[in-house]
């Protein structure tokens, strides 16, 4: 399960907007919102890219994308 509050915290920590994250990820902002809300899944490549974009550690990445 995706941890949206933690994801948004990671964005805020880097002072990045949803539009900037979507652009750096190479997707439309609407597509990113759908993925965050669970209507679509993140691909492995997108998770790896978001880890780099948001400067997440491996543990943080696991907590965001694979929360219980």
């Amino acid at each position: 399960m995706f941890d949206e509050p933690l994801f948004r915290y990671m964005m805020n920590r880097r002072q990045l907007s949803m539009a900037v994250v979507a652009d750096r990820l190479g997707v439309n902002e609407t597509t990113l919102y759908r993925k965050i809300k669970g209507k679509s899944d993140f691909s492995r490549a997108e998770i790896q890219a978001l880890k780099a974009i948001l400067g997440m550690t491996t543990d943080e990445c696991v907590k965001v994308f694979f929360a219980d």
Side-chain angles (χ1 to χ4, degrees), residues 23 47 53:
D23 183 59
I47 292 171
I53 291 166

Side-chain angles (χ1 to χ4, degrees), residues 3-4 6-7 15 19 29 31 34 37-38 40 42-43 46-47 49 52 58-61 63-64 68:
D3 188 336
E4 183 179 351
L6 185 55
F7 180 80
Q15 299 179 346
E29 194 173 348
T31 301
R34 268 191 242 121
K37 295 298 181 186
S40 179
F42 286 97
S43 70
E46 289 170 335
I47 292 171
T58 300
D59 286 343
E60 289 170 334
C61 190
K63 287 178 184 176
V64 169
D68 291 335

Side-chain angles (χ1 to χ4, degrees), residues 2-3 6 10 16 18 20 24 29 33-36 40 45 54-55 59 64 66-68:
F2 184 77
D3 188 336
L6 185 55
M10 297 291 174
L16 297 172
M18 194 67 71
V20 169
R24 290 186 185 176
E29 194 173 348
Y33 275 111
R34 268 191 242 121
K35 290 176 182 281
I36 288 171
S40 179
L54 300 176
D59 286 343
V64 169
F66 304 103
D68 291 335

